[in-house]
Amino acid sequence: IIIALGLKLDDLYADSLYFESFRKKLNQPQEDPFRYHDDFMNFRQWFTGPGIFGFFDLPWAPIYLYIMFVIHPYLGYLALILMAFSVCFTIFTERSVGSMPETLIEEEKNINKFAYQHLRLGEMVSVYNLASNFRRKWLNSRLSVLNFSNEYEGKNQFILAMNKHIRLFFASSALGLAAYLVI
């Protein structure tokens, strides 16, 4: 349903975004005309991604916690400890990754903008024999972004692996405590 809503949003606003980008390019040629498309795509990806489900699950957490305490206080305390650990892990994740994805996307946009500007001025660049200078600058910038991307991917993969192990630990500890209480 959420993906269908995302497609419907895209359907509703695609034309107006296109014309607004076109108008912006005419009025401010030096600005990126697809900024609106990028912003809308980011919103749509958030809206159709896992973040929205957490938003809807959050109000139910106190009810689930209450049920855990009703079943047995040990289960309730374990749930509280695991929730606190989850919040700490989320804060750790946010601090370690931070704004890396946004920075990476922005850097790639800047590199592409640099390349497009110089390709558009190709005749002038070739007349003054500046292509090798621009190529060297472009390659250095691109290498910097690729290194940054590798660093981000390494951190992201580590965090995903840790998240998987932590979730498995949470489930095992809850089941183990419940089995102990049953015995």
Side-chain angles (χ1 to χ4, degrees), residues 92-107:
F92 165 75
T93 300
E94 185 60 33
R95 288 195 179 172
S96 65
V97 174
S99 63
M100 286 179 90
E102 293 85 13
T103 305
L104 186 60
I105 290 169
E106 195 61 37
E107 288 297 321

Side-chain angles (χ1 to χ4, degrees), residues 119-135:
L119 287 174
R120 194 173 28 184
L121 303 172
E123 291 175 2
M124 187 176 74
V125 167
S126 67
V127 167
Y128 291 109
N129 214 7
L130 298 172
S132 61
N133 292 342
F134 290 136
R135 182 182 150 277

Side-chain angles (χ1 to χ4, degrees), residues 41-55:
M41 184 182 70
N42 288 338
F43 170 74
R44 194 185 70 221
Q45 285 176 341
W46 174 83
F47 186 75
T48 60
I52 194 77
F53 296 113
F55 179 75

Side-chain angles (χ1 to χ4, degrees), residues 109-155:
K109 283 182 190 176
N110 289 339
I111 288 174
N112 290 338
K113 184 191 285 186
F114 176 81
Y116 294 147
Q117 285 173 347
H118 290 94
L119 287 174
R120 194 173 28 184
L121 303 172
E123 291 175 2
M124 187 176 74
V125 167
S126 67
V127 167
Y128 291 109
N129 214 7
L130 298 172
S132 61
N133 292 342
F134 290 136
R135 182 182 150 277
R136 188 172 26 261
K137 185 175 180 182
W138 178 76
L139 283 174
N140 288 338
S141 298
R142 185 144 177 78
L143 183 62
S144 172
V145 167
L146 288 174
N147 288 335
F148 187 70
S149 175
N150 284 340
E151 178 186 345
Y152 166 70
E153 284 301 322
K155 283 183 179 181

